[in-house]
Amino acid sequence: MASNLPHLCLRKIFKFLSNDKNDTYILRRKNIHSCVLTNRYWCEMAIPFLWKEPFTGSLNSIKSIILVNVLIINFSEQELKSLNLNSILKKYNKTTFDYIKFIRTLIVNAVIEATAFWLQNNPNISNECPIANNLLKKIILNASNLEHIISNSNINVFKFPISKNYFSNLIELTGFDEGISGIYSSISKVAENIKILRFSLTNNHITNSNTVNDISKIIKNQKNLQHFSVDNRLNCYCCSQEYSSLDFTSIFFSLTTQSKSLRYIGLYDINFFSNFPLKQLTLFDNLNHLEITRCYNFGIELNFNQFNSNISFKTLNRITIYYSAIPSNILKFILSKSGKSLKKIKFIGNEVMENFHDLIQHCIIYNSNLSHFLSFIHSNEILLLPKFFKSCQFLKHFEIWDINYSSNIINNNQLLDKLINIDDNLLLNISESIPSNLKIFNIIMNWSFSTIYFDYFLKNLENFNIHLDYLGFPFCSNFTNDHLELIIKNLNYPLKCLNIRNANNIKYDNVERSSKFVKNLVVPNNIRRFVEYDKYFYDIINQNSF
């Protein structure tokens, strides 16, 4: 058992360690029988893993009380007396290890909530006891490997009267401003080795005009920033739009000071005020992933000649655009400059592709090394799919959505009335050109195709040794029982998922027969539904690292 410990599912392990009189160490794990470790060497290896993130997950009252007990019994006698916690000295013995020193991730609000549960369980101790502040200070002072702070409460831990050296190992910061005045200014003065910066801005910034400038200072002060994202929740899709947006121009300029190291940039709910920072984005030597979500006011008057074509997006591996009306000329510029380095495209939302009518053609010309392609497209582009597949022979994940698709159920019912007749030769040519490594083939369009050529399609998959994990025609209303019969007849390998949830005239017997070699089958509700479509499909996406 001891030798297998590093391979245990550590995130499921309840992070509490106790020792008995025989120095035998017992790990109490959630949903797993206790295992006994008699070997101190393996125990000492396991403990740092178990205590890296003790405040993550769902900390209920019982877990919180145990966790706080374990941490505070290692406070010094003077510290406990200053908090009027003398009773702790008598009630518990000190633990074998000082677990605080193993903590690498500090979630400020989780510490506050855990101590609140602990105080409720100790009615003899005053609710005014500053146990939360003292525990936070103790963690920062003694967690020698503290790497990640999630600042999501009304306590500004960066203003504690301690040396900035205690933040020297901090490499990741997630900032949620909950109305703390000057928190970002405090951060800029104490941390300079951060590699991952995430900010989520709330309505509390309305009265704070220095927020953007403080974030800019934090960025400039870093020595090797690699990951940056900002979520302007002040103007997100679910919040009131009555307030003016923050202008992030200074942040975009400050990011260029990290042009050698930045690999990921994520922008959420940003108003660009017709000044999308394309020029700044072209300056990053090693930008690997660009993500833009629910952003707007990009502007369209851009002089592409001003950009350094020797650098522009040469290392871009992945681009993700969600629900953002980005002008097609900007997208075309990014795709053409990224060229063969681009591996993954994910364009979600009809507003992204509304004015981009030749995405497939663009990828055929510039992006032949694609491994993952998921996008809304215009129906006329499907004629180019055989050329696309021949060009992109490394493709593993292919998914296309009708440009008219909407998250609104009523609108999508209308989509079922809009048949797209697939020419027989087109379906045949697609099957003859599909890359051998393809695992996911998902069509979120209402394709209509004959059974004769669907038979050829399936036979070619087998002939070319193409073993799909996921085959999806969820909106194909003309998919019939005859089509399903062909799948049963031709597929000689197991499918992880077959999605035909809007098929017509499917027989129950065939559904039962299909389920023997299709692990998860999604069929119309009036027949039987074996799996929730969204859940399983997104599991597959995660498995394929999209």
Side-chain angles (χ1 to χ4, degrees):
M1 177 64 73
S3 61
N4 292 327
L5 185 62
H7 305 291
L8 293 174
C9 187
L10 296 177
R11 290 193 178 186
K12 292 183 179 179
I13 297 177
F14 181 63
K15 303 167 182 65
F16 173 68
L17 189 85
S18 63
N19 60 295
D20 64 13
K21 295 179 181 179
N22 298 318
D23 205 29
T24 296
Y25 298 86
I26 301 171
L27 295 178
R28 293 176 182 161
R29 300 176 295 151
K30 182 179 180 182
N31 297 327
I32 308 174
H33 293 295
S34 296
C35 67
V36 179
L37 305 178
T38 58
N39 188 314
R40 183 184 178 90
Y41 169 75
W42 282 110
C43 193
E44 290 179 346
M45 287 187 64
I47 293 168
F49 283 98
L50 298 174
W51 283 85
K52 283 171 61 177
E53 302 176 352
F55 290 99
T56 58
S58 55
L59 274 178
N60 57 32
S61 59
I62 297 174
K63 292 180 181 180
S64 296
I65 293 165
I66 295 173
L67 180 57
V68 174
N69 275 334
V70 171
L71 294 177
I72 66 173
I73 57 179
N74 286 301
F75 278 24
S76 69
E77 184 175 342
Q78 183 178 355
E79 287 172 323
L80 290 173
K81 286 182 178 179
S82 68
L83 293 169
N84 292 321
L85 300 178
N86 304 55
S87 58
I88 299 295
L89 290 171
K90 302 176 182 178
K91 192 174 181 180
Y92 299 103
N93 295 321
K94 287 188 178 296
T95 58
T96 304
F97 298 95
D98 183 3
Y99 301 110
I100 284 180
K101 72 179 183 180
F102 301 121
I103 295 176
R104 293 194 177 188
T105 296
L106 171 59
I107 305 177
V108 178
N109 194 56
V111 175
I112 295 171
E113 290 181 352
T115 54
F117 282 126
W118 185 85
L119 286 171
Q120 291 174 14
N121 191 61
N122 292 274
N124 296 329
I125 299 173
S126 170
N127 287 332
E128 302 300 320
C129 175
I131 181 64
N133 276 30
N134 279 266
L135 184 53
L136 286 167
K137 289 178 185 177
K138 188 78 171 177
I139 292 172
I140 293 172
L141 287 170
N142 292 276
S144 55
N145 294 310
L146 187 63
E147 296 176 345
H148 184 195
I149 293 180
I150 300 178
S151 177
N152 57 348
S153 79
N154 58 359
I155 295 180
N156 185 356
V157 297
F158 299 97
K159 272 194 171 182
F160 285 166
I162 55 181
S163 169
K164 64 179 289 185
N165 293 333
Y166 289 102
F167 295 99
S168 60
N169 290 327
L170 190 65
I171 61 173
E172 186 172 353
L173 173 68
T174 305
F176 294 86
D177 182 4
E178 300 297 336
I180 310 173
S181 177
I183 183 171
Y184 294 137
S185 177
S186 303
I187 296 170
S188 67
K189 296 173 183 177
V190 299
E192 57 185 22
N193 294 313
I194 298 175
K195 293 182 180 180
I196 302 173
L197 269 177
R198 303 185 188 92
F199 295 102
S200 183
L201 311 183
T202 66
N203 287 349
N204 294 308
H205 290 89
I206 295 170
T207 57
N208 186 355
S209 60
N210 295 321
T211 299
V212 171
N213 290 334
D214 289 338
I215 293 176
S216 298
K217 289 178 183 177
I218 296 172
I219 294 170
K220 291 177 181 178
N221 287 346
Q222 304 315 308
K223 296 178 179 179
N224 188 30
L225 185 62
Q226 297 179 10
H227 179 120
F228 174 83
S229 66
V230 58
D231 183 355
N232 182 25
R233 297 176 65 190
L234 171 62
N235 255 31
C236 73
Y237 71 101
C238 62
C239 297
S240 171
Q241 302 290 307
E242 60 182 297
Y243 302 105
S244 60
S245 298
L246 292 171
D247 187 345
F248 290 87
T249 301
S250 64
I251 288 180
F252 302 142
F253 277 103
S254 67
L255 286 172
T256 61
T257 63
Q258 308 292 326
S259 61
K260 300 294 183 184
S261 58
L262 260 176
R263 298 179 180 276
Y264 169 86
I265 295 177
L267 307 173
Y268 303 82
D269 300 295
I270 305 294
N271 182 352
F272 295 114
F273 295 101
S274 299
N275 190 23
F276 179 67
L278 185 61
K279 183 176 182 179
Q280 289 87 336
L281 291 173
T282 62
L283 300 177
F284 297 103
D285 293 350
N286 297 295
L287 185 62
N288 183 265
H289 184 189
L290 176 63
E291 183 169 0
I292 299 172
T293 300
R294 297 184 301 270
C295 295
Y296 53 101
N297 287 345
F298 287 80
I300 56 175
E301 298 297 328
L302 293 170
N303 178 14
F304 295 108
N305 295 325
Q306 65 180 308
F307 306 138
N308 186 347
S309 59
N310 292 326
I311 299 177
S312 305
F313 303 108
K314 294 298 184 183
T315 61
L316 192 67
N317 176 274
R318 180 176 177 183
I319 181 169
T320 307
I321 313 288
Y322 288 98
Y323 309 110
S324 303
I326 183 171
S328 61
N329 62 339
I330 293 178
L331 273 184
K332 289 179 179 180
F333 177 82
I334 296 175
L335 294 178
S336 62
K337 292 301 179 182
S338 59
K340 292 185 178 180
S341 71
L342 192 64
K343 301 294 193 301
K344 299 180 181 181
I345 288 176
K346 192 173 187 179
F347 296 154
I348 298 294
N350 41 37
E351 58 267 65
V352 179
M353 302 306 301
E354 185 175 3
N355 296 312
F356 197 164
H357 295 269
D358 53 352
L359 171 62
I360 297 295
Q361 179 66 37
H362 223 71
C363 292
I364 292 171
I365 297 172
Y366 297 106
N367 311 117
S368 59
N369 284 338
L370 286 175
S371 62
H372 294 67
F373 181 89
L374 188 159
S375 181
F376 281 56
I377 68 168
H378 295 269
S379 59
N380 63 306
E381 292 194 80
I382 63 178
L383 298 173
L384 293 173
L385 290 183
K387 287 185 178 180
F388 174 79
F389 286 130
K390 287 180 180 178
S391 174
C392 303
Q393 282 296 302
F394 301 106
L395 206 63
K396 297 179 181 177
H397 181 133
F398 177 76
E399 181 180 355
I400 52 175
W401 297 56
D402 194 305
I403 191 68
N404 298 306
Y405 181 89
S406 168
S407 57
N408 186 303
I409 295 177
I410 296 176
N411 290 343
N412 288 330
N413 287 336
Q414 296 173 356
L415 187 65
L416 293 173
D417 297 329
K418 297 179 180 179
L419 280 175
I420 300 175
N421 290 308
I422 301 300
D423 181 83
D424 290 339
N425 288 327
L426 176 60
L427 190 63
L428 181 61
N429 290 337
I430 288 175
S431 68
E432 292 176 344
S433 56
I434 287 180
S436 59
N437 292 322
L438 194 72
K439 293 300 179 185
I440 294 177
F441 185 85
N442 195 31
I443 307 299
I444 315 296
M445 307 175 93
N446 192 0
W447 281 14
S448 177
F449 41 81
S450 70
T451 54
I452 295 175
Y453 280 85
F454 187 57
D455 187 31
Y456 290 143
F457 175 88
L458 295 171
K459 286 179 178 177
N460 278 338
L461 291 182
E462 186 65 31
N463 292 337
F464 295 123
N465 201 30
I466 299 169
H467 293 172
L468 299 175
D469 286 338
Y470 184 103
L471 179 61
F473 298 103
F475 277 90
C476 295
S477 58
N478 275 9
F479 195 100
T480 66
N481 194 68
D482 292 336
H483 290 86
L484 183 57
E485 282 273 12
L486 291 173
I487 292 178
I488 297 172
K489 171 186 172 184
N490 286 296
L491 282 185
N492 296 320
Y493 58 90
L495 271 174
K496 288 184 178 178
C497 188
L498 172 64
N499 189 337
I500 50 171
R501 60 172 167 158
N502 281 292
N504 273 321
N505 301 316
I506 300 296
K507 293 182 180 178
Y508 182 82
D509 288 346
N510 277 342
V511 169
E512 285 294 312
R513 289 170 59 202
S514 302
S515 64
K516 294 178 181 178
F517 67 92
V518 178
K519 184 176 181 181
N520 295 277
L521 179 62
V522 183
V523 294
N525 286 330
N526 62 333
I527 303 294
R528 184 176 175 184
R529 196 174 182 125
F530 286 83
V531 65
E532 284 297 323
Y533 162 70
D534 287 337
K535 179 184 183 301
Y536 187 76
F537 180 60
Y538 286 111
D539 282 347
I540 292 181
I541 289 180
N542 292 333
Q543 291 170 12
N544 284 270
S545 303
F546 208 132

